[in-house]
Amino acid sequence: MPDDFIRRISRRALLSAGAGFVVTTAGRRASARANRDFRIAAAPARASLTGHDRRPTDVWAYNEAVPGPTLRVRQGEPVRIIVDNRLDQDTTVHWHGIRLPIGMDGVPGISQPPIRPGETFVYEFTPPDAGTFWYHPHANSLQQLGRGLAGPLIVEERAPIAVDRELLWTVMDWRLNPDAQIAAGFGNMMEAAMSGRIGNTVTLNGVVATDAPVRAGERVRIRLVNAALARIAALRFEGHRPVIIAIDGQPCDPHEPADGRLLLGPATRIDILLDMQGEPGRRYRVVDDFYDGLDYWLVHLAYDKAAPTRAHPPAMLSLPRNPLPEPDLKAAERRELVLQGGMMGGGGMRAMGGMTGMGRAAWAINGTSMTGDGHAGMAPVATLGLGRSCVLTLRNETAWWHPMHLHGHSFRVLRRNGAAVPHRVWADTVLLAPRETVDVAFVADNPGDWMLHCHVTDHMAAGLMTILRIGDGGSHKR
Ligand code: C2O
Ligand code: CU
Ligand code: CU
């Protein structure tokens, strides 16, 4: 049974202990006022995930940090990032959510050759959109992401917004053995056909966190990044009312989440405004209660004893919109992608019709399974004319949740099960509930062969992935 399965793999001591650890709000750590060169090296490292007094974990990391360094760049200014591969296997870096040229997209065999051990690759692009993004490998993704290779990428708005402080919370999920080492068993097919590799240890900015110090009255922008392999989070801020101002980097109409919970599938980013209306000296839990019976607290908002800095919260504010092309819904081409496969409640695999593909598959899109991390030679599921508007229907026929991600574009989220989605929401990764149908729309203005896949990494590796070809798709091939 799905639920029992999740319970079994997740209940093992969700480490909530640990010393009085202050969340380092990495916000300004690697700040750069003008875009400049960055250099990141992917290499084995050690990280104190469960507290500095505990045994460190052997990880793979960018610049020896988990998460990797925060790359802060400016909207509309060129960025150059030199990546050194000091792993003993091929890697690449994918700049998740950035609308960039296909040759910079980081998919081995499709957008670039893999970066071999000891080699360097230079990524260059100009981010058109301000917002919260992240980067991660697109090679052997299960292990490379699961062992710690991920980092935040912040594209700053041209003019800063009026908040007192900004926090960046990167959430990662680990499956650790009692000796604090990463458990073996990546790519377990049973798991891949269910919820994916959900861990037993959730870190916030690289540590099992306890307190985030705050001050009564202040207004904080929190950039939330779910960099987990498979774990979905649903965050409730006890005693507080978060307002969503952007999803996947793209500003939306400011709104409180429907049931007060922020739903963050893997790869999703949400920017919130949080007015600290709690009592000085008190602590409030931030709870993740996505999985039934497995709720835990991620962190506490720990109020300073000082009197509130202001009596009332300031007026609501919204972020300036990014220069996204508005799809023409009337003239749009329509495509449907059906998500198939996975384990059923009774234990059998769901039939996948005339499924064909490569590697070991548990999932399919329109009957075809692309496994691994994406590779050349796979026929695109659909081809779109350059510049055409497209309405894409994603129909989840499975019994599982899937955060579906499209490279190279952001899309408008139009409807869920036929009902209009309010607040003018754009995304690059949209979370589908079991058997849910979601309509999205975008302008196919970026030529190339773009990956479209589930961001539960085990699902992607086991076939829930395909290619959308825009234009002739092949002009970039090397
Ligand atoms: Cu963050 Cu192909 O994905
Ligand atoms: Cu992506
Ligand atoms: Cu999935």
Side-chain angles (χ1 to χ4, degrees):
M1 302 282 147
D3 280 346
D4 293 349
F5 181 75
I6 291 169
R7 201 156 286 141
R8 188 153 39 88
I9 61 177
S10 295
R11 178 156 280 165
R12 290 182 218 149
L14 255 172
L15 301 179
S16 53
F21 223 84
V22 171
V23 178
T24 52
T25 55
R28 296 280 155 185
R29 202 169 50 192
S31 117
R33 282 323 300 162
N35 289 350
R36 55 172 170 86
D37 286 9
F38 295 91
R39 184 154 203 149
I40 55 175
R46 316 192 86 191
S48 295
L49 302 176
T50 55
H52 283 293
D53 52 338
R54 309 278 288 269
R55 193 169 157 198
T57 304
D58 292 314
V59 297
W60 296 347
Y62 293 116
N63 292 2
E64 302 187 334
V66 167
T70 302
L71 307 182
R72 274 194 173 257
V73 304
R74 292 170 121 185
Q75 183 178 17
E77 294 181 16
V79 192
R80 194 160 175 267
I81 305 156
I82 304 159
V83 176
D84 298 311
N85 181 6
R86 298 206 199 111
L87 302 170
D88 62 4
Q89 57 185 262
D90 293 356
T91 194
T92 59
V93 182
H94 171 60
W95 313 96
H96 183 117
I98 304 279
R99 297 188 293 136
L100 41 59
I102 184 74
M104 296 291 125
D105 196 45
V107 180
I110 293 182
S111 57
Q112 67 167 93
I115 314 172
R116 308 275 180 212
E119 283 184 356
T120 290
F121 189 91
V122 181
Y123 290 92
E124 286 180 291
F125 54 86
T126 300
D129 304 322
T132 305
F133 301 92
W134 67 299
Y135 59 96
H136 62 79
H138 225 287
N140 192 14
S141 299
L142 251 180
Q143 296 229 18
Q144 292 191 15
L145 180 57
R147 291 183 185 278
L149 288 166
L153 170 57
I154 306 301
V155 185
E156 292 178 340
E157 289 85 25
R158 290 198 170 90
I161 63 162
V163 294
D164 299 312
R165 226 149 48 92
E166 183 180 304
L167 303 180
L168 170 60
W169 287 2
T170 302
V171 175
M172 294 171 88
D173 179 37
W174 312 78
R175 188 179 297 175
L176 299 182
N177 290 326
D179 64 355
Q181 298 311 303
I182 295 172
F186 285 96
N188 174 312
M189 281 310 280
M190 183 71 137
E191 231 163 59
M194 300 204 253
S195 56
R197 181 178 162 110
I198 293 178
N200 54 14
T201 305
V202 177
T203 57
L204 180 51
N205 297 342
V207 290
V208 176
T210 60
D211 283 359
V214 302
R215 173 102 198 256
E218 68 176 345
R219 167 171 283 180
V220 177
R221 173 190 194 164
I222 306 182
R223 299 174 184 265
L224 293 157
V225 181
N226 183 350
L229 268 189
R231 177 182 288 276
I232 301 168
L235 300 182
R236 273 189 305 113
F237 288 70
E238 285 183 354
H240 292 75
R241 301 174 67 178
V243 173
I244 298 176
I245 55 171
I247 296 176
D248 288 351
Q250 302 298 348
C252 55
D253 297 337
H255 64 282
E256 292 184 29
D259 58 357
R261 299 197 315 170
L262 301 169
L263 199 54
L264 280 153
T268 294
R269 292 87 63 211
I270 297 183
D271 284 41
I272 58 169
L273 287 183
L274 200 58
D275 286 311
M276 298 303 174
Q277 297 293 295
E279 284 170 39
R282 265 191 70 177
R283 295 164 83 235
Y284 298 84
R285 301 187 311 167
V286 179
V287 173
D288 173 2
D289 60 5
F290 181 77
Y291 300 103
D292 256 357
L294 288 177
D295 49 303
Y296 66 98
W297 52 268
L298 179 68
V299 65
H300 284 91
L301 300 176
Y303 276 73
D304 185 294
K305 294 209 171 57
T309 55
R310 51 167 74 84
H312 304 287
M316 196 32 61
L317 57 85
S318 53
L319 292 167
R321 295 263 162 183
N322 283 318
L324 288 165
E326 194 66 46
D328 176 348
L329 299 181
K330 289 202 190 71
E333 301 193 33
R334 284 165 196 275
R335 297 284 189 276
E336 184 177 64
L337 299 187
V338 183
L339 317 185
Q340 301 153 317
M343 199 64 84
M344 298 300 286
M349 287 288 280
R350 196 174 171 84
M352 286 188 280
M355 183 187 97
T356 58
M358 312 168 234
R360 295 199 298 165
W363 307 92
I365 296 177
N366 292 1
T368 300
S369 306
M370 180 181 204
T371 55
D373 296 278
H375 34 70
M378 171 98 187
V381 73
T383 300
L384 295 168
L386 186 60
R388 291 298 305 268
S389 292
C390 176
V391 173
L392 196 61
T393 296
L394 299 163
R395 194 148 61 80
N396 181 8
E397 285 190 343
T398 80
W400 301 89
W401 292 77
H402 302 291
M404 297 303 296
H405 169 51
L406 172 63
H407 285 211
H409 299 76
S410 288
F411 46 72
R412 194 60 202 278
V413 184
L414 296 177
R415 287 177 291 274
R416 288 184 177 272
N417 288 334
V421 171
H423 316 304
R424 291 206 296 159
V425 168
W426 291 75
D428 56 53
T429 307
V430 64
L431 185 61
L432 274 73
R435 308 216 155 72
E436 190 176 33
T437 295
V438 175
D439 297 314
V440 304
F442 63 100
V443 178
D445 61 351
N446 199 354
D449 278 355
W450 299 103
M451 309 301 298
L452 193 159
H453 63 84
C454 178
H455 225 289
V456 170
T457 318
D458 316 68
H459 293 181
M460 168 181 106
L464 207 48
M465 172 163 57
T466 191
I467 286 176
L468 212 56
R469 174 166 293 171
I470 295 177
D472 70 6
S475 53
H476 60 278
K477 294 255 166 63
R478 299 169 188 234

